[in-house]
Amino acid sequence: NAGVMQNPRHLVRRRGQEARLRCSPMKGHSHVYWYRQLPEEGLKFMVYLQKENIIDESGMPKERFSAEFPKEGPSILRIQQVVRGDSAAYFCASSPPTRYTEAFFGQGTRLTVV
Amino acid sequence: AQTVTQSQPEMSVQEAETVTLSCTYDTSESDYYLFWYKQPPSRQMILVIRQEAYKQQNATENRFSVNFQKAAKSFSLKISDSQLGDAAMYFCAYRSSILTGGGNKLTFGTGTQLKVEL
C-alpha cells in the first residue's frame, strides 16, 4: 500500500508564475490536509478537503491560493503569481473517514521562488 | 483557538542517555489528541507517539514515552537509550476531537531540534 505521494519533490518558479502541487492520498483515504512549513518553523494548517468539498480553509491566504480534491485524481494546491515569501515546504496528509485514526504525511514539496 | 508551545529550540543528548522534550498547549476543550512527530533531514513527518486526552495512562512506544499532565496542559516526550538515528526535529501537535468536525486537522508547535552526540 503506497503512502501519500506528493509531486514534484522540488519545484522552482520565477516570481509571477503559477505553482501546482499534487497530492495523491493513500488508498482508501478520502480526507486530505495541506500544511505549509516556512524555514525554521513548524507546520501551519492551510486547508482540509474531502472529495469535491472544501471543509475548512481557515489557514489559506485569501488571495492567490486555492485547493481542490476532485472526484477522480489527486488533490491540487495551486498558487498563482508566486512571490518570494511563498518559498516553503508544502506537506499533504491524508486520512480515512473513520474516527480514531491519525493522518499520514507525504514527503512534501519544496517550492523555491526565484 | 488552540496553541502549542515548544520552548526548547535545540536539545542535545549523549548516545544511550535519556532526554526529555517539553511541550505545553492551550485549549478549552476536554476531548482531544496529542502527538509527537519526528522530522529527519529527509523532511518526512513520522508519527512517534499519540495520546488521547481521556486516557490517564501515559502512552509508550518502545523507547519513547510521554508524560501527559492534563491539568497543567503539559505533554513531554521522553526518549530513552538515545540513538544516532533519533537525531531530528521533533514537533508536538494537537488535534481536536473528531466530533468537532475538524477531522485530522493538526496544530503544531515550532519544534525542537534534537542532536545526538557520541
Side-chain angles (χ1 to χ4, degrees):
Chain A
N1 188 8
V4 179
M5 303 301 293
Q6 289 189 250
N7 66 81
R9 289 294 311 279
H10 303 276
L11 181 64
V12 179
R13 285 288 178 264
R14 295 186 184 280
R15 282 178 292 171
Q17 291 185 319
E18 178 180 288
R20 292 171 71 89
L21 288 62
R22 295 175 186 77
C23 169
S24 296
M26 289 179 68
K27 187 176 181 180
H29 289 196
S30 57
H31 297 204
V32 165
Y33 310 80
W34 284 95
Y35 294 83
R36 177 166 65 175
Q37 184 178 29
L38 294 169
E40 310 300 326
E41 294 188 14
L43 281 70
K44 295 283 175 56
F45 169 79
M46 299 181 74
V47 63
Y48 164 30
L49 309 106
Q50 297 177 16
K51 285 282 188 180
E52 299 184 281
N53 286 304
I54 295 175
I55 306 301
D56 180 355
E57 56 181 347
S58 59
M60 285 280 270
K62 298 301 181 190
E63 297 177 349
R64 302 187 297 107
F65 285 72
S66 62
E68 63 176 11
F69 188 18
K71 186 176 181 181
E72 301 291 338
S75 175
I76 305 289
L77 179 67
R78 182 183 178 203
I79 310 171
Q80 295 178 293
Q81 300 174 328
V82 296
V83 301
R84 288 233 170 103
D86 296 332
S87 295
Y90 292 83
F91 287 88
C92 168
S94 73
S95 67
T98 53
R99 282 183 76 178
Y100 297 114
T101 57
E102 68 268 15
F104 295 84
F105 282 83
Q107 287 194 287
T109 293
R110 168 81 67 188
L111 172 66
T112 302
V113 180
V114 297
Chain B
Q2 294 78 30
T3 59
V4 177
T5 301
Q6 292 179 253
S7 58
Q8 304 157 315
E10 284 189 6
M11 291 283 285
S12 293
V13 63
Q14 297 285 329
E15 199 178 14
E17 296 295 309
T18 295
V19 65
T20 298
L21 308 184
S22 301
C23 173
T24 58
Y25 58 94
D26 189 29
T27 184
S28 58
E29 300 173 337
S30 59
D31 188 17
Y32 50 86
Y33 295 77
L34 297 164
F35 304 85
W36 279 97
Y37 280 88
K38 171 185 177 181
Q39 187 181 44
S42 67
R43 286 207 317 261
Q44 178 71 56
M45 293 292 286
I46 302 166
L47 177 65
V48 175
I49 200 165
R50 175 176 73 178
Q51 176 77 44
E52 293 91 338
Y54 63 86
K55 289 187 177 179
Q56 291 186 340
Q57 186 173 6
N58 289 324
T60 61
E61 287 287 343
N62 301 313
R63 297 182 297 106
F64 299 88
S65 61
V66 298
N67 183 3
F68 173 49
Q69 301 290 329
K70 191 172 184 180
K73 296 180 182 175
S74 170
F75 182 61
S76 61
L77 174 69
K78 184 171 83 170
I79 306 174
S80 304
D81 186 25
S82 297
Q83 301 174 0
L84 293 177
D86 295 333
M89 182 72 87
Y90 286 81
F91 291 101
C92 179
Y94 175 103
R95 193 195 84 191
S96 296
S97 164
I98 292 289
L99 297 176
T100 64
N104 269 293
K105 174 184 175 181
L106 295 167
T107 300
F108 285 90
T110 51
T112 297
Q113 182 68 51
L114 179 65
K115 298 180 180 180
V116 180
E117 299 168 343
L118 293 170

